[in-house]
Amino acid sequence: MKNQLSTKEKLVFAMITCIEKYGLKNITTRKIAAEARINVAAINYHFGSKDNLLNIALEQTLNEAFVNNVEEHFTDKATYKAFLEFFEETFTGIINYPNITNAHLDNHSSPKKDQNNIANKFNNFLTDLLVKGNKNLKAQSEIEKKMSVVQILSAIIFPSLKPHLFESFLEMDFKNPQNVQMYINNLLEKNMEKI
């Protein structure tokens, strides 16, 4: 069977699954091994430690969220519709995988170099959004455009991580894709031209 995962791939996938199931602080090597259906010793054999496996899993999810997702949505040109779809998918992804998102935001157990790697990837992601949206953003100066990108992303991350805080006030269920689209569209209309 060509699509069978290697032991290392199974362990990375199991770590990602465990982060979402149990939260970062409740992950054990036994839970990871059970999820992967592999002996606990395989974690140290292939990765040296649970922390090394965690860093690889977080790196993979960062690449999926930031690098691959941006490339997928903005293949040839950045349009308002591409931004709308990108941010809708981002919002929904955070709602569906809050523990993965929190792991990236809260990973205090990582060595400083890994935290810097996350910050660098995030800054590269913001720069990509700025470059792709440069013609669409209503702001005039470079710093205002940068602030617009941060404001848009912040207005997506916070309510998607804590939807229950906003759903009553907005009278919207964020599990409904039409509500997410309405919220994102309203946010983008204030910051971007429909080019």
Side-chain angles (χ1 to χ4, degrees):
M1 192 180 227
K2 290 181 185 177
N3 293 334
Q4 282 192 334
L5 299 175
S6 71
T7 300
K8 286 179 86 168
E9 291 169 327
K10 286 179 186 175
L11 286 168
V12 170
F13 185 73
M15 174 59 93
I16 293 167
T17 302
C18 286
I19 292 169
E20 194 53 48
K21 267 187 183 178
Y22 307 112
L24 194 58
K25 294 179 182 179
N26 298 315
I27 296 173
T28 65
T29 53
R30 289 189 190 281
K31 288 177 182 175
I32 299 163
E35 186 67 39
R37 298 180 179 179
I38 294 173
N39 188 304
V40 173
I43 294 169
N44 284 335
Y45 177 79
H46 288 286
F47 297 97
S49 71
K50 180 179 83 169
D51 286 342
N52 289 340
L53 172 57
L54 171 64
N55 290 329
I56 289 168
L58 290 177
E59 178 79 17
Q60 184 171 320
T61 56
L62 274 176
N63 283 336
E64 186 60 36
F66 295 155
V67 179
N68 300 344
N69 204 12
V70 169
E71 288 175 9
E72 180 182 312
H73 282 85
F74 304 108
T75 50
D76 41 357
K77 63 180 179 176
T79 63
Y80 182 89
K81 185 175 190 268
F83 277 97
L84 180 65
E85 290 171 358
F86 172 78
F87 286 125
E88 284 174 16
E89 188 173 305
T90 300
F91 194 102
T92 303
I94 294 171
I95 281 182
N96 291 333
Y97 302 101
N99 285 334
I100 296 289
T101 305
N102 280 318
H104 289 293
L105 299 174
D106 294 343
N107 192 11
H108 301 296
S109 65
S110 286
K112 188 134 181 92
K113 71 177 181 117
D114 292 320
Q115 290 176 2
N116 287 338
N117 183 36
I118 290 169
N120 288 338
K121 259 200 197 308
F122 194 71
N123 280 291
N124 289 340
F125 168 67
L126 291 172
T127 300
D128 282 350
L129 288 180
L130 177 65
V131 168
K132 304 243 187 274
N134 200 29
K135 292 178 185 172
N136 300 73
L137 291 167
K138 290 181 179 179
Q140 298 300 308
S141 72
E142 190 69 14
I143 189 65
E144 289 173 330
K145 287 182 180 195
K146 285 182 176 182
M147 287 190 283
S148 290
V149 169
V150 170
Q151 290 164 355
I152 292 167
L153 197 57
S154 297
I156 289 167
I157 292 174
F158 189 40
S160 58
L161 271 177
K162 303 292 182 189
H164 62 281
L165 295 177
F166 302 94
E167 288 176 341
S168 176
F169 177 75
L170 292 173
E171 298 176 7
M172 296 175 111
D173 175 7
F174 282 131
K175 290 186 176 73
N176 180 330
Q178 292 165 329
N179 290 338
V180 172
Q181 184 178 43
M182 184 177 12
Y183 177 82
I184 302 295
N185 195 46
N186 181 272
L187 176 64
L188 293 182
E189 280 181 348
K190 291 174 178 25
N191 291 284
M192 301 185 88
E193 301 290 342
K194 289 190 175 184
I195 298 173

